[in-house]
Amino acid sequence: MEPKKLSNIRIKKLRKKRADATSSKPKRSRKHTKRTEPEQLTQDLLVEMGIPFEIEKSLPFKRSWKHYDIALDDYPILIEIDGDYWHGNEEFIKESRSKRNLMQLKNKQNDYLKNWLAKSNGFKLLRIWESDIKNDIEGVRKKIQDIISECQTEKDIE
């Protein structure tokens, strides 16, 4: 069972809630806690590439906040590192020969929401799977370079 994509009516309601969001500081954040292994590997890769970044970027939503794993300082790019099990990676689901559970469906729906929120706030969102950062670091490096190049091209056009 796939989660439903956001409808136009739902998007209008979400925009209103975003506009009503308070400007207080985020209350729940993992900024000062230990990062997961895939998050740490991604941060190490960014350091190696010489790209400055901020851990745990928060965007206002409703009367709360949505937190993103990494924000690049010099570009309007957010990075989310998704766990294969927790976010229901299709390849992981096929390998384990199981169906998505309720928690995975809920996380997938939250992912759609975070995609929309990032885009509506002028950010590009790069999602990296846990298995990709562990097994194909060069592929992840290329994805990061490509999205940065895309941002630079858009900036040059303006």
Side-chain angles (χ1 to χ4, degrees), residues 21-71:
T22 60
S23 61
S24 64
K25 294 207 175 210
K27 292 183 178 157
R28 285 180 63 193
S29 172
R30 296 183 317 122
K31 194 169 201 164
H32 302 291
T33 61
K34 187 174 182 196
R35 312 312 290 169
T36 64
E37 180 187 6
E39 289 172 341
Q40 191 59 56
L41 289 170
T42 305
Q43 290 171 20
D44 294 344
L45 177 62
L46 290 170
V47 167
E48 180 185 313
M49 293 172 73
I51 300 171
F53 62 92
E54 173 188 346
I55 298 171
E56 195 76 24
K57 172 75 172 174
S58 300
L59 295 178
F61 178 71
K62 292 187 184 180
R63 298 195 191 284
S64 183
W65 297 82
K66 289 291 181 186
H67 307 285
Y68 295 83
D69 296 328
I70 299 171

Side-chain angles (χ1 to χ4, degrees), residues 131-149:
S131 55
D132 289 344
I133 192 67
K134 287 182 175 178
N135 303 324
D136 185 19
I137 198 132
E138 289 307 314
V140 173
R141 181 189 308 268
K142 182 167 178 9
K143 283 182 185 179
I144 293 170
Q145 288 170 336
D146 289 348
I147 199 165
I148 287 174
S149 297

Side-chain angles (χ1 to χ4, degrees), residues 82-121:
D82 295 333
D84 292 329
Y85 173 76
W86 300 105
H87 292 265
N89 187 347
E90 291 294 331
E91 293 173 20
F92 180 83
I93 299 290
K94 286 177 188 172
E95 284 178 21
S96 64
R97 296 185 181 154
S98 63
K99 295 181 180 177
R100 285 193 175 136
N101 60 38
L102 187 59
M103 181 264 320
Q104 290 167 329
L105 293 172
K106 188 176 177 182
N107 284 341
K108 205 62 155 164
Q109 188 67 36
N110 189 50
D111 291 345
Y112 285 130
L113 178 63
K114 287 174 88 171
N115 292 348
W116 172 82
L117 186 62
K119 185 176 180 180
S120 67
N121 278 285

